């Protein structure tokens, strides 16, 4: 049984259909990264799954309970870290955690012990007595995450948990997520950072205009857009167009040109053959390459490929014109 | 049920902890009311004519209690709006706690706050020379009616706090409180105002409560003559009850519908 299951979820605001048949299945003890551009509906999906929002249609189960009819059961088993830190700014970090602990029906003493323990774990013991108002954004975030872990929930929703964090705090959050998952927690993580999904998630769902348009492991998604990428950096910008012409011979998709970096790149099927042939062709045409190499595509490229079809096509024709001219 | 009571108490403690953490805000609110009493009581008091004769401060104080209690609507509204805005309400909604406790806790915390405010204002009045001239039972009834009014505007505040989206809107609603509480029989006899303004002041439901307070505390200016003043006690009891009958279900409905 999946820990998180959604089928055909629909949600509309006014005339705008925000989710149109959102479907998802996350196995217990794994991390699913929900990726998508601004306004794709990530937060809406998380809010529905965490019982905050009623879907207009479809079905969703979390930890085996229907989010519409068994709200109380779902709420007992989830932790939610919303897109904005939801802690009481007037109270201290410690007071916040004690309050949330008591609202999770721990006894006063247990709530206090848990608060102290969580503050320590999130490196907030020193600032624990200060009002949250005086916390930095990263400290607030950590407190927010701590507050959602009071009962060590089996399912955790993280809506852009590292937005606005410095690299160190980001690493801390990442290692915390890994630790939780190692302990059996199921995590649904939304993010704008592709490296974050790459780092943490075993399964990635790309959400675009209200539905999941691609799904798979980071590796699968990368190979889906046409295997490896071949990059050539030319010495003389004037050679860019001709270099693009060479690359086009070895790929089904048109090459992409970055004039600023004097780079042309293209998706290739057979990396070794492509590399040797391109090197030979460039030399034969008298184009000096500063750098030439094959690499796996980044998730950014996957992301743009999957969510930016329309923009990308016009973009490419634009580039083609450039190439022709 | 026990869960609801326990969670409500936790939520009440949260409200009280805010109070302890932000004494400045609480003191400023009280200082404002005391300043109004001193300002009107002494600055304008000499020039004011109390209908039927009597001491102006004694005429003024019952209205000040009503005003203080009415201003409570802003406190509630701002607190509820801020919680919704900051996402804390959502956190409560995603937790396995009693959801009724979120609103119940707001009620008890704000009522505690108001009782303390009222006590300080009454003490200030007593120090300045205001006196209770009715029976103890009548005085208790007056305080009971004030707290009933506070409860009514508390639920109005909850509803408005859940309705409005921004802190700016809250400030706008707060501004409207001034004409609402000033154009009453609190500071002057409506009969002494221009006819149209006097009519508004006389029919302002707060005036009925002010008349009832004067009557119960045995202070001057309890009125007579106008229909509103004649039935002040009934009005002072009835209209907060009507407000409660409207705003309790509206607020509960609105809270439930946050998930829409
Ligand atoms: N309460 C609401 N009323 C009306 N429209 C809304 C509401 N909440 C969200 N929307 C709209 O729904 C769409 C999806 O919003 P959502 O917050 O789910 O996107 P997101 O993927 O989380 O975006 P972001 O990356 O910016 O956080 C947006 O176009 C937004 O304007
Ligand atoms: Mg979002």
């Amino acid at each position: 049984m999946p820990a998180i299951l959604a089928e055909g979820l629909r949600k509309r605001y006014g005339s705008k259909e925000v989710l149109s048949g959102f479907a998802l299945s996350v196995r217990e003890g794994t991390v699913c990264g929900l990726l998508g551009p601004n306004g794709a509906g990530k937060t809406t999906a998380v809010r529905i799954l965490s019982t905050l929002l009623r879907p207009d249609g479809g079905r969703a189960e979390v930890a085996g309970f229907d989010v519409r009819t068994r709200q109380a059961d779902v709420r007992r088993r989830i932790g939610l870290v919303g897109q904005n830190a939801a802690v009481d700014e007037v109270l201290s970090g410690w007071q916040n955690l004690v309050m949330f602990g008591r609202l999770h029906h721990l006894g006063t003493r247990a709530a206090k012990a848990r608060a102290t323990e969580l503050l320590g774990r999130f490196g907030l013991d020193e600032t624990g007595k200060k009002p949250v108002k005086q916390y930095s954004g990263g400290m607030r975030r950590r407190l927010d995450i701590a507050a959602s872990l009071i009962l060590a929930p089996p399912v955790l929703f993280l809506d852009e948990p590292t937005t606005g964090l410095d690299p160190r705090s980001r690493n801390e959050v990442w290692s915390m997520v890994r630790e939780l998952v190692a302990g059996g927690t199921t995590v649904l993580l939304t993010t704008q950072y592709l490296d974050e999904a790459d780092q943490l998630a075993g399964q990635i769902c790309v959400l675009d205009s209200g539905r999941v348009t691609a799904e798979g492991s980071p590796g699968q998604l990368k190979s889906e857009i046409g295997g490896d990428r071949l990059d050539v950096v030319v010495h003389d910008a004037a050679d860019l167009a001709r270099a693009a012409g060479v690359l086009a011979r070895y790929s089904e998709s048109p090459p992409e040109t970055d004039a600023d970096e004097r780079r042309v790149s293209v998706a290739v099927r057979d990396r070794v053959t492509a590399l040797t042939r391109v090197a030979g062709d460039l030399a034969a045409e008298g184009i000096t390459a500063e750098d030439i190499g094959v690499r796996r595509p980044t998730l950014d490229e996957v992301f743009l490929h999957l969510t930016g079809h329309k923009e990308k096509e016009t973009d490419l024709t634009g580039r083609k014109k450039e190439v022709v001219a | 049920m026990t869960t609801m009571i326990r969670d409500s108490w936790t939520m009440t403690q949260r409200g009280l902890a805010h109070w302890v953490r932000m004494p400045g805000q609480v003191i400023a609110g009280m200082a404002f009311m005391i300043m109004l009493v001193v300002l009107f009581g002494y600055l304008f008091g000499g020039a004011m004519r109390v209908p039927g004769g009597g001491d102006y401060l004694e005429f003024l104080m019952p209205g000040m209690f009503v005003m203080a209690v009415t201003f409570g609507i802003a406190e509630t509204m701002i607190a509820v709006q801020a919680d919704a805005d900051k996402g804390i309400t959502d956190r409560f909604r995603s937790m396995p706690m009693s959801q009724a406790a979120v609103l119940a806790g707001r009620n008890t915390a704000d009522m505690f706050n108001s009782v303390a405010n009222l006590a300080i204002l009454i003490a200030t009045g007593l120090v300045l020379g205001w006196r209770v001239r009715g029976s103890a039972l009548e005085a208790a009834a007056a305080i009971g009616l004030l707290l009933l009014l506070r409860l009514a505007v508390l639920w109005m505040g909850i509803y408005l706090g859940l309705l409005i989206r921004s802190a700016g809107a809250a400030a706008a609603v707060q501004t409207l409180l001034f004409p609402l509480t000033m154009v009453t029989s609190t500071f002057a006899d409506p009969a002494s105002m221009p006819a149209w303004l006097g009519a508004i002041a006389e029919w302002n439901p707060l005036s009925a409560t002010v008349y009832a307070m004067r009557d119960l505390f045995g202070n001057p200016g309890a009125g007579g003559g106008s229909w509103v003043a004649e039935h002040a006690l009934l009005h002072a009891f009835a209209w907060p009850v009507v407000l409660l009958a409207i705003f309790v279900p509206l607020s509960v409905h609105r809270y439930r519908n946050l998930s829409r």
Side-chain angles (χ1 to χ4, degrees):
Chain A
M1 184 190 69
I4 305 172
L5 178 73
E7 282 170 356
L9 284 184
R10 302 185 166 278
K11 181 75 193 172
R12 61 165 55 239
Y13 286 115
S15 63
K16 187 175 161 62
E17 182 133 70
V18 176
L19 291 183
S20 47
F22 174 83
L24 182 77
S25 168
V26 184
R27 250 184 329 116
E28 210 178 302
T30 62
V31 182
C32 173
L34 194 55
L35 241 57
N38 289 134
K42 302 183 295 293
T43 298
T44 306
V46 166
R47 287 173 64 83
I48 288 175
L49 292 171
S50 55
T51 75
L52 291 181
L53 205 60
R54 257 176 189 281
D56 297 333
R59 196 174 75 86
E61 274 179 16
V62 171
F65 295 98
D66 191 300
V67 296
R68 291 171 84 157
T69 55
R70 305 290 296 272
Q71 292 188 342
D73 292 296
V74 171
R75 287 175 185 168
R76 253 190 288 281
R77 289 166 181 84
I78 60 169
L80 169 66
V81 179
Q83 194 161 355
N84 302 306
V87 282
D88 190 319
E89 303 221 321
V90 178
L91 301 183
S92 71
W94 190 76
Q95 280 178 311
N96 263 289
L97 294 181
V98 172
M99 171 178 73
F100 289 127
R102 300 198 35 173
L103 292 174
H104 276 101
H105 306 131
L106 294 177
T108 307
R109 200 183 294 161
K112 287 180 177 172
R114 184 70 177 145
T116 309
E117 183 192 338
L118 283 168
L119 283 180
R121 188 157 151 213
F122 284 88
L124 292 167
D125 13 21
E126 273 167 39
T127 39
K129 300 279 180 206
K130 284 194 195 154
V132 173
K133 228 180 281 181
Q134 297 174 16
Y135 284 27
S136 72
M139 287 156 67
R140 239 175 253 226
R141 227 341 154 200
R142 275 182 275 161
L143 180 66
D144 196 32
I145 296 174
S148 59
L149 295 179
I150 303 245
L151 287 192
V155 178
L156 183 62
F157 296 102
L158 299 169
D159 196 356
E160 299 193 26
T162 63
T163 301
L165 294 192
D166 63 21
R168 220 193 102 202
S169 308
R170 181 169 303 170
N171 274 322
E172 278 170 21
V173 172
W174 287 356
S175 56
M176 178 217 77
V177 172
R178 288 194 190 102
E179 208 179 295
L180 287 169
V181 172
T185 306
T186 310
V187 177
L188 180 65
L189 168 104
T190 83
T191 181
Q192 308 267 5
Y193 303 112
L194 301 129
D195 56 328
E196 183 161 290
D198 212 358
Q199 287 273 339
L200 296 174
Q203 171 195 5
I204 289 180
C205 292
V206 179
L207 187 60
D208 192 18
S209 26
R211 47 170 55 246
V212 174
T213 51
E215 192 178 349
S217 69
Q220 283 170 337
L221 287 185
K222 286 173 187 176
S223 55
E224 200 164 286
I225 70 159
D228 298 319
R229 310 280 306 177
L230 178 71
D231 284 348
V232 172
V233 178
V234 294
H235 180 73
D236 187 352
D239 291 334
L240 268 177
R242 283 199 297 141
V246 171
L247 290 193
R249 291 171 205 159
Y250 301 99
S251 174
E252 292 131 37
S253 52
E256 287 166 32
T257 311
D258 184 334
D260 291 337
E261 295 192 11
R262 284 173 280 120
R263 185 204 309 276
V264 191
S265 86
V266 77
V268 291
R269 289 272 171 224
D270 181 349
R271 44 195 284 153
V272 178
T273 317
L275 186 61
T276 43
R277 294 243 179 105
V278 164
D281 285 7
L282 287 175
E285 301 218 2
I287 301 170
T288 319
E290 239 169 41
D291 195 6
I292 178 165
V294 198
R295 59 178 170 83
R296 308 280 290 156
T298 64
L299 265 178
D300 285 283
E301 281 160 333
V302 178
F303 189 65
L304 285 174
H305 179 81
L306 292 170
T307 63
H309 284 299
K310 287 191 195 104
E311 289 108 306
K312 199 143 171 236
E313 268 155 29
T314 56
D315 211 347
L316 281 175
T317 48
R319 276 179 188 157
K320 262 184 194 156
K321 272 179 204 149
E322 234 172 69
V323 174
V324 173
Chain B
M1 194 60 199
T2 49
T3 310
M4 191 232 158
I5 291 169
R6 196 148 61 125
D7 290 349
S8 302
W9 176 234
T10 308
M11 296 301 286
T12 307
Q13 283 178 310
R14 168 181 181 237
L16 298 181
H18 272 223
W19 204 14
V20 174
R21 285 256 170 197
M22 298 194 299
Q25 198 169 315
V26 177
I27 291 168
M30 289 183 186
F32 176 71
M33 285 310 301
I34 292 172
M35 188 194 74
L36 278 187
V37 171
V38 173
L39 207 64
F40 281 94
Y42 290 92
L43 203 60
F44 307 125
M48 293 289 201
R49 198 187 58 81
V50 176
D55 178 43
Y56 184 68
L57 188 76
E58 295 219 358
F59 172 80
L60 180 68
M61 282 314 290
M64 298 311 289
F65 300 145
V66 175
M67 194 169 181
V69 164
T70 313
F71 277 152
I73 192 176
E75 262 164 58
T76 306
M77 175 181 67
I78 289 168
V80 171
Q81 193 271 333
D83 276 0
D85 193 45
K86 297 258 158 64
I88 301 176
T89 307
D90 278 348
R91 184 181 284 290
F92 292 142
R93 289 177 56 231
S94 74
M95 287 183 9
M97 62 181 287
S98 153
Q99 294 302 306
V102 177
L103 300 185
R106 176 92 270 143
N107 267 277
T108 30
D110 285 4
M111 285 308 278
F112 268 126
N113 193 339
S114 290
V115 168
N117 269 331
L118 210 52
I120 288 178
L121 200 58
I122 286 174
T124 308
L126 288 172
V127 167
L128 294 177
W130 168 73
R131 288 293 172 269
V132 177
R133 309 212 180 265
S135 70
L137 199 68
E138 284 172 319
I143 289 171
L145 281 178
L146 284 171
L147 294 180
L148 176 68
L149 176 60
R150 177 63 182 103
L151 193 65
V153 302
L154 203 158
W155 281 96
M156 253 177 105
I158 290 178
Y159 180 68
L160 289 172
L162 290 173
L163 190 71
I164 55 183
R165 294 250 174 251
S166 69
V173 174
Q174 199 174 7
T175 312
L176 290 178
L177 277 177
F178 276 93
L180 181 74
T181 53
M182 305 281 280
V183 183
T184 57
S185 58
T186 300
F187 298 101
D189 183 5
S192 69
M193 301 173 189
W196 63 272
L197 194 64
I200 297 175
E202 187 67 22
W203 286 96
N204 184 335
L206 287 170
S207 290
T209 311
V210 173
Y211 287 134
M213 290 303 109
R214 287 181 186 143
D215 187 19
L216 290 169
F217 283 127
N219 294 138
S226 86
W227 184 80
V228 176
E230 289 288 315
H231 303 89
L233 262 176
L234 179 67
H235 281 143
F237 179 74
W239 77 268
V241 170
V242 170
L243 281 187
L244 283 170
I246 296 171
F247 284 100
V248 172
L250 271 183
S251 303
V252 170
H253 183 252
R254 181 90 201 160
Y255 185 81
R256 291 226 174 103
N257 268 4
L258 287 176
S259 64
R260 250 196 336 201

